[in-house]
Amino acid sequence: MAPTSTPQTPFGRVLTAMVTPFTADGALDLDGAQQLAAHLVDSGNDGLIVNGTTGESPTTSDAEKAQLVRAVVDAVGDRAFVVAGAGTNDTDHSLELARAARDAGAHGLLAVTPYYSKPPQEGLFRHFTAIADATDLPVMLYDIPGRSGVPINTETMVRLAEHPRIVANKDAKGDLGRASWAIARSGLAWYSGDDMLNLPLLSVGAVGFVSVVGHVVTPELRALLDAHLHGDVTKATEIHQKLLPVFTGMFRTQGVITTKAALGLQGLPAGPLRLPLVELSPDETEQLKRDLAAGGVHL
């Protein structure tokens, strides 16, 4: 049974978008995934996103996605929300993934804006509605126009929020003004999907984070959130500023690449990447070490 949710925090407050560990020969590493999931929950995560962008979802098969959900639910599903990425740019395929994630035990779905096709807002509305209608699981939208090419406009957010199972949004739009209006008008639970903007988004009404840097600094993210919730703006700002080198360093290149490198430096399961992603160069690895050390991460 999943942890108890509330309308304000349907998936908890601190979630990490988990990488998908692979073995040395590139196969799915289910044992490693369970170990990593347990480590992240032990570190303070309320939930994990699996099969998202950071999980290399573009290069994992449908069967691998279902196996991964099942393994992570078995490992931590009684202690943390397991939210499965189910969004693609093909609505019918997304419905298949949503149902497979439900059957594998996921507690919720993450639905990214359809990429590449650049659908109009009505197409987005119908796509997300179809995903929400496909199962009885709660849905978190994922608004990331830098990857998808199309933003979810505020009016569309407001319409989608009327659906009883569309309960949250992961915001990687990078626009605090639009976020402010969408939070106020939609009532969706708002999660920061851009680590550099975690604190600013809290200030305009976000309830928590879907983080990449949570792989290495979950306790600090939790402390930042708790400080903000208790009105200690000075402490929250201090933690935010301390983490700036981590935020910067983990996104000097594609985030999956640096995250797997950071996990490897800490002796945690990660493994290689699948093409077209490639490992950090030796110089890039040294820079990552410097960035993490500057942010207080011990390797």
Side-chain angles (χ1 to χ4, degrees):
M1 181 177 293
T4 303
S5 65
T6 71
Q8 293 76 29
T9 56
F11 304 108
R13 291 191 181 275
V14 180
L15 297 90
T16 291
M18 196 179 95
V19 302
T20 299
F22 298 127
T23 60
D25 61 359
L28 189 64
D29 180 4
L30 293 177
D31 288 341
Q34 291 187 319
Q35 292 172 32
L36 180 59
H39 167 76
L40 292 172
V41 174
D42 289 344
S43 297
N45 280 282
D46 300 318
L48 301 172
I49 306 288
V50 297
N51 296 327
T53 308
T54 311
E56 295 179 76
S57 59
T59 52
T60 56
S61 70
D62 290 4
E64 287 175 325
K65 287 177 171 65
Q67 290 175 323
L68 183 65
V69 171
R70 190 170 289 108
V72 173
V73 169
D74 286 347
V76 300
D78 59 340
R79 298 194 291 139
F81 297 97
V82 179
V83 181
T88 72
N89 63 341
D90 176 344
T91 303
D92 285 344
H93 187 200
S94 300
L95 304 186
E96 293 173 3
L97 290 175
R99 294 179 183 121
R102 173 203 60 198
D103 294 345
H107 305 132
L109 302 173
L110 179 73
V112 71
T113 315
Y115 39 85
Y116 190 75
S117 302
K118 289 191 172 181
Q121 293 297 306
E122 181 61 26
L124 298 185
F125 176 78
R126 295 186 192 183
H127 172 84
F128 288 127
T129 298
I131 292 174
D133 285 342
T135 78
D136 59 355
L137 296 178
V139 174
M140 179 188 293
L141 306 173
Y142 182 11
D143 187 14
I144 183 164
R147 287 185 182 273
S148 68
V150 177
I152 309 175
N153 289 346
T154 300
E155 293 297 336
T156 307
M157 288 278 189
V158 173
R159 290 178 68 197
L160 288 168
E162 296 176 359
H163 194 292
R165 285 186 293 281
I166 296 178
V167 298
N169 180 56
K170 176 185 175 184
D171 183 356
K173 188 178 284 178
D175 188 326
L176 291 171
R178 287 190 181 186
S180 299
W181 274 112
I183 292 168
R185 295 188 56 208
S186 72
L188 291 171
W190 214 258
Y191 292 84
S192 171
D194 183 345
D195 280 303
M196 186 67 83
L197 296 182
N198 284 345
L199 180 57
L201 278 166
L202 288 179
S203 74
V204 297
V207 300
F209 319 134
V210 174
S211 175
V212 173
V213 304
H215 284 92
V216 293
V217 291
T218 288
E220 290 82 355
L221 295 180
R222 172 69 66 182
L224 186 157
L225 179 65
D226 289 345
H228 182 271
L229 291 174
H230 289 95
D232 193 341
V233 176
T234 299
K235 182 177 179 181
T237 303
E238 288 174 352
I239 297 170
H240 169 76
Q241 292 176 347
K242 176 188 174 185
L243 292 176
L244 289 175
V246 180
F247 297 154
T248 298
M250 292 286 282
F251 293 100
R252 287 188 186 274
T253 185
Q254 208 271 0
V256 185
I257 297 173
T258 49
T259 299
K260 284 200 162 181
L263 290 171
L265 291 170
Q266 293 186 312
L268 292 166
L273 299 126
R274 288 184 176 175
L275 286 170
L277 301 183
V278 295
E279 281 74 18
L280 292 182
S281 69
D283 287 346
E284 289 172 325
T285 300
E286 290 305 312
Q287 180 63 58
L288 177 62
K289 290 179 181 178
R290 291 192 293 271
D291 291 328
L292 294 177
V297 178
H298 300 292
L299 298 175

